[in-house]
């Protein structure tokens, strides 16, 4: 009998939840995460016996080898909407391994009144033309673009994950210790608003993480506080993406056809 295995490339709360849903119908569900922090989040709470976690980043070749050796039926791309390179590598790996790959969709947010930027450098330049303190909620990877834009570092309040590498990134870029906000999101409207009021924030910089990433709460808090909003646009999706319900339905139907 064919062993019914699914690989989920996670990195979001949506991905973690989808993996748990799949455990109800598949023999094994393997979740690939890039960091120990991702493993800890996936393994928090009650963990089904048929859930497996693989930790560590992979390039396209390593992904292909992992998928081939594991004997998987399909892969699910549940990585962050801005993890463009990871998604591209996974598509390449699935094509090479002749496996279907289903992309989990995260709905985009309407952005009326927001300033839109194509990348972090453009967002930093937009901020340079605006006065006041900046709440940066895009993660530690974007810090260099903002800290190296003249006049921004001392106005910057980065909100990053409470991890050593995030704090080290802030230190490396010269962010004043009193400006670092190390917290795990997503955050409520009230907490976003309280931070903006406490720190006299004039500009919110964010990515469109959708509802699952707390985007509505960020925007509503910024509107109430009167802060300008700079949004780094999502990279374009390649191919079709599916809702959680669509993926579960497709895989359930196809599983029944396995020997």
């Amino acid at each position: 009998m064919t062993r019914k295995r699914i690989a989920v490339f996670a990195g979001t709360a949506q991905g973690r939840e989808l993996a748990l849903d799949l455990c109800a119908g598949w023999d094994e569900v393997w979740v690939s995460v890039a960091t120990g922090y991702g493993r800890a989040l996936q393994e928090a709470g009650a963990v089904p016996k048929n859930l497996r976690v693989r930790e560590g980043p992979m390039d396209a070749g390593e992904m292909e080898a992992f998928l081939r050796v594991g004997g998987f039926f399909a892969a699910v791309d549940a990585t962050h909407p801005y993890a463009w390179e990871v998604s591209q590598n996974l598509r390449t790996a699935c094509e090479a391994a002749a496996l279907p790959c289903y992309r989990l969709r995260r709905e985009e947010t309407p952005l009326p009144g927001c300033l839109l930027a194509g990348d972090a450098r453009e967002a930093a330049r937009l901020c340079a033309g605006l006065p006041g303190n900046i709440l940066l909620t895009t993660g530690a990877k974007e810090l260099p673009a903002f800290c190296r834009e003249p006049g921004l570092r001392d106005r910057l309040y980065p909100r990053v994950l409470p991890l050593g590498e995030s704090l080290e990134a802030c230190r490396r870029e010269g962010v004043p210790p009193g400006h670092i906000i190390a917290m795990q999101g997503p955050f409520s409207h009230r907490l976003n608003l309280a931070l903006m009021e406490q720190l006299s924030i004039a500009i919110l910089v964010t990515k469109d993480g959708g509802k699952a990433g707390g985007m509505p709460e960020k925007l509503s808090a910024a509107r109430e506080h009167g802060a300008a909003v700079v949004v780094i646009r999502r990279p374009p999706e390649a191919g079709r993406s599916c809702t959680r319900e669509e993926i579960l339905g497709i895989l359930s139907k196809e599983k029944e056809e396995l020997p």
Side-chain angles (χ1 to χ4, degrees):
M1 180 180 292
T2 303
R3 191 75 169 162
K4 300 174 181 178
R5 293 189 178 98
I6 292 289
V8 179
F9 288 74
T12 63
Q14 283 180 306
R16 294 191 293 273
E17 292 166 1
L18 178 61
L20 294 175
D21 290 335
L22 289 168
C23 282
W26 292 82
D27 294 338
E28 286 184 0
V29 176
W30 280 79
V31 181
S32 174
V33 297
T35 66
Y37 186 64
R39 173 187 283 274
L41 291 175
Q42 183 67 64
E43 295 180 341
V47 180
K49 292 182 179 180
N50 58 336
L51 180 73
R52 309 283 186 268
V53 180
R54 185 208 179 276
E55 177 187 333
M58 291 187 280
D59 60 22
E62 291 166 328
M63 288 178 179
E64 180 188 348
F66 169 69
L67 293 170
R68 287 186 184 276
V69 171
F72 295 103
F73 172 74
V76 177
D77 180 1
T79 59
H80 196 276
Y82 288 80
W84 178 85
E85 185 176 355
V86 178
S87 291
Q88 185 180 49
N89 285 341
L90 181 54
R91 287 193 300 273
T92 299
C94 286
E95 288 174 4
L99 288 181
C101 180
Y102 300 99
R103 171 63 172 163
L104 179 62
R105 181 187 310 152
R106 185 180 287 196
E107 298 297 337
E108 295 191 45
T109 307
L111 300 171
C114 297
L115 299 172
L116 304 181
D119 57 23
R121 285 181 294 179
E122 184 180 355
R125 289 193 292 269
L126 286 173
C127 289
L130 299 171
N133 292 341
I134 304 161
L135 178 60
L136 180 66
T137 66
T138 59
K141 289 182 180 180
E142 277 69 37
L143 271 173
F146 289 87
C147 289
R148 297 172 194 181
E149 181 72 23
L152 287 194
R153 183 187 290 111
D154 291 339
R155 298 200 275 139
L156 203 64
Y157 288 82
R159 190 164 70 188
V160 298
L161 289 172
L163 301 174
E165 52 262 40
S166 298
L167 297 176
E168 174 59 23
C170 291
R171 185 204 65 77
R172 189 167 56 247
E173 294 301 328
V175 177
H179 286 208
I180 302 169
I181 307 164
M183 302 174 71
Q184 167 68 40
F187 304 93
S188 68
H189 167 91
R190 291 180 63 186
L191 183 50
N192 282 314
L193 181 59
L195 282 173
M196 292 179 189
E197 291 175 342
Q198 176 70 25
L199 302 174
S200 300
I201 296 299
I203 309 162
L204 167 69
V205 182
T206 184
K207 296 175 179 177
D208 179 13
K211 185 177 180 180
M215 188 66 172
E217 290 80 5
K218 291 180 187 178
L219 294 179
S220 63
R223 283 195 296 269
E224 183 170 341
H225 183 61
V229 180
V230 176
V231 181
I232 300 175
R233 294 191 190 94
R234 289 187 187 182
E237 291 275 7
R240 181 192 172 203
S241 59
C242 305
T243 66
R244 169 181 164 276
E245 291 73 20
E246 287 172 337
I247 290 175
L248 290 172
I250 291 168
L251 291 176
S252 176
K253 181 179 179 180
E254 295 183 352
K255 181 189 66 176
E256 297 305 320
E257 299 175 1
L258 289 173

